[in-house]
Amino acid sequence: MTWTAGSASRTAAMMTRLHEAMARIEASRAADGVRRFTRAETWVHRSLAWVMGICVFTGLCLYFPPLAEIVGRRRLVVTIHEWSGIAIPVPPLLGLASRAFRADAGRLGRFFPHDRKWLRVALRRRRRESGLAGKFNAGQKLYAAFSLGAILLMVGTGLIMWFPLLTPLVWRTGATFVHDWLFLIIVVAIIGHVRFAAKDPEARRGLRTGYVSRRWIRTEHPLWRPDPPGAEQQGPALPEGEQPARERPPVP
């Protein structure tokens, strides 16, 4: 294949049209809704979901003999499971380079009075109270906290099992017990997470495109005060003591 000036100009023109089309799509989404997640945040969630999915699937192949017989090649499955487990913390760690990701991590790590009310309603009445939700409701905050703790425990126990000669027998025994049972709990939690996501197409759209409708915000997350356009790029400095989540407690 010969590279000519004409082909180079056609390629450049094609890339220009592609960028213009992407810019139009982005502008259309911004006009139709409110930006909930940046590209960095959607990338982190998508990458984490893929790596976690690979780790869970290979773990199931190692845990259930019938599935292991179907897949076969146990040594390869073990290798993929080990390295995918080590890779799970990578997307969130890379996401810390994003100001928006750090801000949302702060939101997820803080509980407000309306979050406790949300939990009481969910436990007593078996339903979610959307009027008590900021950008993230209390259930999402609990799931995020559980996921962080589970990842740290699974990586730690997995390393002990991966390098058995570096730790005493009692450590290896305890690590195996915790790793196996926590794996089953994680599978149940992921099933519940996917089940709730399947019931909320607008939330899935927000994770896929980064944008959600204003009507969805009013009905599902009314306490959330979205940042004005350009605030994420400018990096607004909040005064000391102000709630970084920009959530407001419900009016009695």
Side-chain angles (χ1 to χ4, degrees):
M1 182 177 179
T2 304
W3 184 265
T4 63
S7 62
S9 62
R10 286 194 297 271
T11 302
M14 185 181 301
M15 294 302 297
T16 300
R17 288 195 295 271
L18 179 61
H19 288 308
E20 291 175 351
M22 292 178 64
R24 287 195 296 270
I25 293 174
E26 190 79 7
S28 175
R29 289 171 178 170
D32 294 339
V34 177
R35 188 169 197 120
R36 192 177 190 219
F37 300 112
T38 62
R39 290 182 180 178
E41 292 176 289
T42 56
W43 176 87
V44 169
H45 185 272
R46 197 168 302 164
S47 303
L48 184 61
W50 274 104
V51 177
M52 180 70 78
I54 294 172
C55 191
V56 168
F57 177 73
T58 53
L60 290 172
C61 292
L62 298 174
Y63 198 86
F64 295 105
L67 189 58
E69 293 177 2
I70 295 174
V71 175
R73 307 194 67 175
R74 181 177 177 85
R75 184 63 255 174
L76 177 61
V77 173
V78 170
T79 302
I80 295 175
H81 182 74
E82 291 170 342
W83 285 105
S84 60
I86 292 296
I88 286 178
V90 173
L93 290 176
L94 293 178
L96 291 176
S98 166
R99 188 189 302 272
F101 180 83
R102 296 196 303 272
D104 278 348
R107 292 181 173 98
L108 286 168
R110 288 175 171 82
F111 258 70
F112 300 105
H114 60 263
D115 291 317
R116 290 188 284 273
K117 292 181 181 178
W118 189 98
L119 284 176
R120 285 198 296 269
V121 172
L123 292 174
R124 292 176 181 176
R125 304 178 185 176
R126 304 292 181 180
R127 67 178 179 84
R128 295 184 298 171
E129 181 55 65
S130 58
L132 298 173
K135 185 173 185 179
F136 304 103
N137 61 44
Q140 293 166 333
K141 292 180 179 182
L142 286 179
Y143 182 79
F146 166 78
S147 299
L148 177 60
I151 287 173
L152 294 177
L153 273 176
M154 292 298 281
V155 171
T157 54
L159 288 173
I160 293 175
M161 298 165 61
W162 195 356
F163 302 101
L165 299 180
L166 299 180
T167 55
L169 177 61
V170 64
W171 285 28
R172 299 196 299 271
T173 304
T176 303
F177 177 83
V178 172
H179 200 86
D180 289 349
W181 281 101
L182 184 57
F183 170 74
L184 295 178
I185 295 174
I186 289 174
V187 171
V188 173
I190 290 176
I191 292 173
H193 180 67
V194 173
R195 179 171 171 268
F196 281 118
K199 295 181 178 180
D200 196 342
E202 188 69 22
R204 298 199 308 273
R205 173 177 175 254
L207 281 170
R208 188 176 66 254
T209 67
Y211 289 91
V212 292
S213 66
R214 301 178 189 277
R215 179 186 58 80
W216 182 80
I217 294 176
R218 289 193 299 268
T219 56
E220 297 295 331
H221 297 265
L223 302 183
W224 175 33
R225 302 294 181 265
D227 293 325
E232 293 169 348
Q233 289 75 17
Q234 297 171 4
L238 299 178
E240 184 177 358
E242 183 175 345
Q243 297 176 352
R246 294 181 179 271
E247 298 177 4
R248 299 294 183 265
V251 178

